[in-house]
Amino acid sequence: MTSIKALTGENLSTKAPVLELHDIQATVLRPRPAPYFGFHVLLHIDDAESGRKFLRRLAPHVDSAAGWWSAATPWLAVGITHAGLHALGVPQDSLQSFPEAFREGMAARARQLGDEGANDPKNWDQSYGKGEIHIGITAFSDSEENRRRILGVAREQLEGLTGVRVLAKQDFGAQPGDLNSLGYKDGIDQPAIEGSGVEPLPGQGHPIKAGEFILGYPGESGFTLPTPQPDVLGRNGTYVGFRKYQSRVGAFNRFLRANGATEEERELLAAKLVGRWRSGAPLTLAPEVDNPALGADPHRNNDFNYSNDPRGRQAPFGCHIRRMNPRDTTLTRLTDVNLHRVIRRGTTYGPPYDPNALSEEADEVPRGAYFLFISAKAMATIEFLQQEWINDGNFMGLGEERDPIIGLQEKGASFTIPREPVRRRVHGIETFNVLRGGEYFFMPSLSALRWLGELR
Ligand code: HEM
């Protein structure tokens, strides 16, 4: 998240940004509005010239990051899969210059991602996992009216183009209180990016080198990642890991009821699973009772590390946010945590979370989250997170325990809550969020979008 002053444009760094913001897509730096409304559209290209014409028409409507703080007007983001680049007629040597995981696509990387069992691509929703998805369009806006307006803009660009087909469209939007599909406030912590002109908020840590998130700049190691060729195609672009989750709200509520006798006990348990109360207040700053004012305050709600909680008595080692960003936690496997950060754009869909939904039918209600994980090495980072920090516990000394929110669980899975005098181990953790689809996208710069549109 960004500072409020920065959001109003008041507090921009006076130093000239080192990033070519006018060429980078807005979504890389611009946070979701609160509340937010939007849609994802997945497209298939039947005919290369229609695909290129669509991009030529669309490019002027894709915002750049130069005005990243002006989230009041709706904006579009565009991603293209490797199959999509092929369908647009990108030359073979250029196609080969993309990383292997991107070339293969997310479904083909199921083994590296641990997407098996319930999360296996063979169980994914229609359109996913078959190489059919070529272009993904995402729109964000601050009102229902603006969502309709930007949808109209996107539709206009498709008019008369018989060679581009809509495979799927999904609206998403803020739930009451800006909560996600399991009833938590989310989208709080984001990495700060060096040279972006975005002021870090307290607790965001030192700004991370731009090359971790955008192609063409040095990363944390001092090196610039190989950029897809030609340079105009790769530079200022990035990758997006797109994952659609279905939240099994009934299973989640049944688990809380089975392990918490009172509302207070259940809410504490829900907080222990994530590391934050549903209000967003972090357990390290509000260990005993929720503090909604803290959760709502962007200057305080992320201003913590784990130095005062070395035994996990406040935020358990295995909770979602401590796994996903261990901050200063001592890990059993030595890792530089700054190499595994991603920019997250979570988008919640379906009816709001209902704490009283307990039935198995409630698990089937289409409700959950589409995540956009943005990074210059999104494929490697997501595959690392899935293997090491989500579906394993050894890096934290937790054996086979997995992430309680997004882990793929075996029957009888448990979650350990360190406490005095003896730890508590809760059983009955299930796969509360099931993967229903996903794809790797390349998010080109604005000049690359124009280049693609002009290909012959
Ligand atoms: C539907 C599934 C998910 C739910 C319900 C969920 C929920 C949450 C919540 C409530 C937070 C705390 C608030 C915040 O910092 O934004 C959070 C943080 C986070 N989540 Fe998730 N999440 C989900 C999926 C994922 C996935 C798939 C990943 C990565 C592969 C992920 C990575 C993160 C990260 C990196 C943080 C920030 C941790 C920090 O910096 O302290 N989440 N998530």
Side-chain angles (χ1 to χ4, degrees):
M1 281 290 278
T2 47
S3 83
I4 296 303
K5 277 190 182 165
L7 277 173
T8 60
E10 277 173 40
N11 207 17
L12 282 177
S13 163
T14 46
K15 274 193 290 172
V18 295
L19 292 177
E20 291 165 358
L21 297 179
H22 62 280
D23 199 32
I24 298 167
Q25 289 198 37
T27 299
V28 177
L29 294 185
R30 189 178 290 171
R32 285 181 333 211
Y36 65 96
F37 302 80
F39 58 81
H40 300 293
V41 176
L42 303 176
L43 300 166
H44 178 84
I45 302 168
D46 284 315
D47 151 57
E49 181 42 30
S50 294
R52 295 192 290 253
K53 192 163 186 185
F54 175 61
L55 292 187
R56 284 202 296 280
R57 288 179 179 179
L58 194 71
H61 302 283
V62 178
D63 254 13
S64 85
W68 61 263
W69 59 89
S70 54
T73 43
W75 74 95
L76 296 171
V78 187
I80 307 175
T81 61
H82 194 257
L85 293 171
H86 187 261
L88 285 165
V90 170
Q92 197 55 37
D93 54 344
S94 180
L95 289 172
Q96 277 305 115
S97 66
F98 284 85
E100 187 180 353
F102 174 72
R103 296 201 307 264
E104 292 184 1
M106 193 176 273
R109 303 291 290 180
R111 191 176 52 78
Q112 291 84 349
L113 288 158
D115 291 341
E116 53 188 35
N119 289 353
D120 192 306
K122 69 174 189 297
N123 300 322
W124 288 1
D125 290 352
Q126 209 188 347
S127 317
Y128 290 97
K130 303 181 189 75
E132 283 179 5
I133 300 172
H134 290 162
I135 298 181
I137 311 269
T138 294
F140 286 97
S141 73
D142 61 351
S143 67
E144 183 55 51
E145 192 194 336
N146 276 337
R147 166 169 44 199
R148 276 199 296 274
R149 187 150 71 81
I150 195 79
L151 179 62
V153 172
R155 277 208 179 112
E156 259 170 46
Q157 315 318 313
L158 269 178
E159 254 162 42
L161 294 181
T162 47
V164 181
R165 261 188 298 134
V166 176
L167 298 173
K169 172 176 173 282
Q170 172 82 58
D171 287 344
F172 60 77
Q175 310 283 322
D178 218 10
L179 306 179
N180 70 16
S181 50
L182 290 183
Y184 296 84
K185 179 174 163 64
D186 73 356
I188 298 173
D189 184 48
Q190 300 286 359
I193 307 171
E194 192 179 275
S196 63
V198 183
E199 298 279 325
L201 281 164
Q204 254 186 319
H206 79 85
I208 295 176
K209 298 270 185 250
E212 295 296 314
F213 304 105
I214 301 154
L215 291 163
Y217 302 87
E220 286 286 294
S221 63
F223 295 103
T224 302
L225 287 171
T227 305
Q229 290 302 306
D231 217 43
V232 60
L233 175 60
R235 187 173 169 76
N236 289 326
T238 185
Y239 295 99
V240 182
F242 181 81
R243 283 169 82 78
K244 175 183 182 185
Y245 287 90
Q246 156 101 18
S247 295
R248 297 179 58 236
V249 168
F252 189 67
N253 289 338
R254 290 193 297 276
F255 166 79
L256 293 180
R257 299 253 168 147
N259 292 285
T262 61
E263 171 90 23
E264 287 70 34
E265 281 181 21
R266 292 196 280 273
E267 284 308 296
L268 179 61
L269 178 56
K272 291 284 183 187
L273 298 177
V274 163
R276 289 185 187 271
W277 297 89
R278 299 208 208 227
S279 69
L283 279 174
T284 48
L285 300 180
E288 309 288 340
V289 281
D290 190 6
N291 180 343
L294 169 64
D297 182 350
H299 288 273
R300 293 192 295 143
N301 64 14
N302 202 34
D303 192 11
F304 67 92
N305 58 28
Y306 297 109
S307 58
N308 291 328
D309 189 19
R311 289 164 201 245
R313 302 229 168 93
Q314 295 164 351
F317 296 118
C319 73
H320 180 59
I321 67 164
R322 201 159 180 171
R323 281 174 174 268
M324 293 295 89
N325 181 10
R327 302 184 190 216
D328 57 345
T329 306
T330 308
L331 303 181
T332 28
R333 286 188 194 149
L334 206 59
T335 315
D336 179 348
V337 295
N338 284 336
L339 296 180
H340 305 300
R341 304 294 304 280
V342 282
I343 298 166
R344 290 177 299 134
R345 301 280 176 249
T347 56
T348 299
Y349 68 93
Y353 171 72
D354 173 2
N356 297 315
L358 294 166
S359 66
E360 288 186 7
E361 288 80 68
D363 294 341
E364 301 306 323
V365 174
R367 158 171 48 199
Y370 288 81
F371 278 92
L372 277 67
F373 299 100
I374 304 175
S375 149
K377 43 184 199 192
M379 292 73 66
T381 302
I382 294 169
E383 291 178 8
F384 169 87
L385 291 178
Q386 282 286 127
Q387 281 172 28
E388 299 283 329
W389 290 1
I390 293 173
N391 286 327
D392 196 5
N394 282 320
F395 77 109
M396 286 273 194
L398 292 168
E400 291 186 350
E401 277 188 19
R402 298 177 171 203
D403 185 307
I405 298 294
I406 48 171
L408 177 70
Q409 310 293 347
E410 314 241 304
K411 217 173 159 44
S414 59
F415 176 71
T416 303
I417 304 177
R419 61 171 191 186
E420 290 291 348
V422 279
R423 69 181 177 201
R424 178 179 181 206
R425 187 166 275 163
V426 272
H427 297 276
I429 295 272
E430 295 183 29
T431 305
F432 295 128
N433 287 290
V434 179
L435 190 69
R436 299 308 289 262
E439 196 43 280
Y440 287 137
F441 287 94
F442 176 59
M443 190 183 266
S445 68
L446 299 189
S447 37
L449 267 184
R450 290 190 291 271
W451 182 86
L452 287 164
E454 299 297 337
L455 270 178
R456 282 287 161 262

